[in-house]
Amino acid sequence: MISRSSLAKSAQQAVRRPCSVQSLQRRGFAAAAATGAFETTDVSGLKVASRDAHGPTTKLAIVAKAGTRYQPLPGLTVGLEEFAFKNTQRRSALRITRESELLGGQLNASHTREALVLEASFLREDLPYFAELLAEVVSMTKYTTHEFHEDVERVLHLKQAALNANVAALALDNAHAVAFHNGLGASVYPSSLSPVQKYLNEEYIASYADVVYSKPNIAIVADGASTDALTNWVGQFFKDVPAKSLNGQTLKAEASKYHGGEQRTSHPGGNAMVIAFPGSDASGSKPEIAVLAALLGGQPTIKWSPGFSLLSKATAGTSGLSVSASNLAYSDAGLLTVQLSGTAASVRKGAEETAKALKSIADGTVSKEDITKAVANAKFDILEKAQLRSPSLLQAGSGLVNSGKASELAALAKGIDGVTADKLKTAAKSLLDGKATVSTVGDLFVLPYAEEIGLQV
């Protein structure tokens, strides 16, 4: 048991460090402004990237190629996520919690459609402890059957219930299923109506972890640590990560294929629609899609003003409507989405205006000034995201495990400058001539079919 006097002494020592912390912060701003690029290296076959802003804190992440796209059975990614930061071979869950909190650290596990992310945020000098801890988590947690059913199934049930109650999230999840079917179309959380129990057990999750936590499928990324320090501790603590799966299995990795189509789901909890088209992948192969998303917009960029975007202006007088356009980028595909939610009548109005806005871009009737604003806004959004720790770590890590190169959001912004009105016109026309993806949830008596608003599915 740690005494109060020991804790008080530690607190006093922390108070005595303000000058050094302030100097670190002053140096950090200058370094961050100079470059936002990650330095990459290879440590005994492990892909490692770091970016050092010389600040007082560090965020360290394990980015694993283990999203719902790659799971061989439904629910395994969720199960693997819930194993994180529990009992390891050396530490109990209670010990991990107490030690991390005493050091002021924060631990988190999450997943996307393509990645499982284990994150630790802490004071810079505590890098060795948290590097060792993440290495232990990667070596796989030890669970009993009782703990498994108590923890994993409970969390999965709660996540399923939350997804089913959120009509906007449900519409987006359904849109992915319609657009891609398998792979990227796999639900982030399995439906509560699906027989997940027969797929979700300790043995299957352990087998999945054996594949995921191997050198080809993980990247170690840090923001706030020098390359030398990170390389040193990775080499020391991650040396036992296997070069390949011990059972000889590999991740399923079929190329994404866009299909398009329409799905309608009745729901008493609200109304939402997602109108989507093929987008740009994580490499920024189609920068005009990012500008197209900014031009469609929906959310104002200036308080008390509807903003410049086409959907902001078109729906300014529609009460009870939330609308937002964005490009969801993945390793080999993308989905340009317009997400609408609100009352049934307002969502219908927003869907009609979305189709009209796309047609106006395809017809070339959008003003040059609005296009200039969209280019600037799209570039700003990318550069702003590059400064945020969690998104930039995920982007860099995903790039490493998928292509061997750390994707840099700042580099993607350069492609935006070359987007012209003609390129936008061509892109919009191509989308309208192809198959759209339309996902509708809510009052289906009021909410329109894709055909009613002039879209092909």
Side-chain angles (χ1 to χ4, degrees):
M1 192 76 181
I2 298 176
S3 66
R4 287 179 177 270
S5 60
S6 298
L7 289 174
K9 184 177 180 181
S10 298
Q12 290 171 356
Q13 291 173 342
V15 171
R16 294 185 187 121
R17 293 183 296 184
C19 293
S20 61
V21 170
Q22 289 174 0
S23 63
L24 286 173
Q25 289 174 331
R26 284 194 290 268
R27 291 199 304 270
F29 290 127
T35 175
F38 283 87
E39 294 183 36
T40 61
T41 187
D42 184 281
V43 181
S44 301
L46 273 172
K47 296 174 282 288
V48 178
S50 64
R51 180 173 64 182
D52 192 2
H54 301 283
T57 64
T58 298
K59 183 181 282 287
L60 180 66
I62 306 296
V63 180
K65 193 175 180 179
T68 51
R69 171 180 181 173
Y70 300 108
Q71 61 188 14
L73 296 171
L76 293 189
T77 296
V78 182
L80 190 57
E81 175 187 324
E82 292 307 313
F83 267 104
F85 307 120
K86 296 298 178 72
N87 299 327
T88 68
Q89 293 178 338
R90 291 187 54 194
R91 290 177 170 89
S92 68
L94 177 60
R95 179 181 170 183
I96 291 172
T97 299
R98 292 188 66 189
E99 290 180 346
S100 299
E101 288 179 343
L102 284 170
L103 293 173
Q106 300 176 354
L107 305 174
N108 184 52
S110 60
H111 77 274
T112 67
R113 295 183 186 276
E114 291 194 306
L116 172 68
V117 184
L118 310 177
E119 286 184 336
S121 302
F122 46 88
L123 294 176
R124 186 184 183 94
E125 60 264 30
D126 296 323
L127 174 61
Y129 171 80
F130 287 97
E132 183 180 22
L133 174 59
L134 286 178
E136 286 186 21
V137 173
V138 168
S139 69
M140 194 53 196
T141 315
K142 300 300 179 185
Y143 252 33
T144 66
T145 302
H146 172 71
E147 287 174 323
F148 172 83
H149 290 295
E150 183 178 279
D151 288 354
V152 178
E153 292 193 356
R154 173 180 55 82
V155 170
L156 181 59
H157 176 74
L158 292 174
K159 296 282 181 70
Q160 289 173 333
L163 177 64
N164 291 334
N166 186 334
V167 291
L170 187 58
L172 185 60
D173 210 46
N174 291 345
H176 280 81
V178 171
F180 299 110
H181 293 184
N182 301 313
L184 289 174
S187 178
V188 177
Y189 296 102
S191 168
S192 57
L193 301 177
S194 62
V196 176
Q197 285 72 19
K198 72 178 184 179
Y199 303 122
L200 195 61
N201 58 53
E202 309 95 306
E203 290 77 16
Y204 288 154
I205 291 177
S207 178
Y208 184 43
D210 180 47
V211 181
V212 168
Y213 294 142
S214 59
K215 289 181 179 178
N217 295 323
I218 67 171
I220 303 169
V221 192
D223 190 339
S226 69
T227 301
D228 289 342
L230 183 62
T231 300
N232 175 54
W233 297 119
V234 168
Q236 182 172 330
F237 296 127
F238 288 82
K239 59 180 180 295
D240 294 329
V241 175
K244 61 180 180 179
S245 168
L246 299 179
N247 57 24
Q249 296 180 356
T250 58
L251 292 176
K252 66 171 189 175
E254 298 179 0
S256 297
K257 180 181 178 181
Y258 178 83
H259 298 277
E262 183 169 21
Q263 181 171 332
R264 294 169 65 83
T265 305
S266 294
H267 201 292
N271 304 277
M273 285 186 71
V274 173
I275 299 172
F277 302 89
S280 178
D281 61 26
S283 69
S285 57
K286 300 177 181 177
E288 61 272 16
I289 295 296
V291 179
L292 196 57
L295 184 56
L296 290 170
Q299 297 296 319
T301 55
I302 299 175
K303 192 173 184 179
W304 311 122
S305 168
F308 76 92
S309 71
L310 302 184
L311 292 180
S312 291
K313 292 185 286 189
T315 61
T318 306
S319 61
L321 174 67
S322 174
V323 55
S324 177
S326 61
N327 177 65
L328 305 179
Y330 302 105
S331 61
D332 65 346
L335 201 62
L336 172 63
T337 64
V338 177
Q339 301 178 58
L340 309 107
S341 61
T343 64
S346 66
V347 171
R348 183 184 183 97
K349 173 66 174 175
E352 293 169 347
E353 294 298 339
T354 298
K356 291 178 182 178
L358 277 168
K359 290 172 183 175
S360 69
I361 300 171
D363 292 339
T365 58
V366 180
S367 72
K368 183 179 179 180
E369 182 181 350
D370 282 349
I371 293 175
T372 301
K373 292 176 181 177
V375 170
N377 198 11
K379 189 172 181 179
F380 172 82
D381 287 344
I382 290 177
L383 293 173
E384 183 186 39
K385 189 177 180 182
Q387 298 180 75
L388 302 177
R389 274 187 160 177
S390 289
S392 59
L393 289 177
L394 175 59
Q395 184 82 6
S398 297
L400 280 174
V401 295
N402 286 297
S403 66
K405 297 170 58 179
S407 302
E408 295 292 349
L409 292 172
L412 300 181
K414 295 180 180 179
I416 302 294
D417 291 328
V419 176
T420 64
D422 287 340
K423 289 184 178 180
L424 284 177
K425 179 179 177 179
T426 301
K429 188 175 187 306
S430 176
L431 296 181
L432 290 172
D433 289 343
K435 292 181 66 175
T437 292
V438 180
S439 170
T440 306
V441 178
D443 185 353
L444 302 186
F445 179 75
V446 177
L447 298 174
Y449 282 90
E451 184 182 22
E452 294 178 57
I453 57 176
L455 298 179
Q456 302 180 65
V457 292

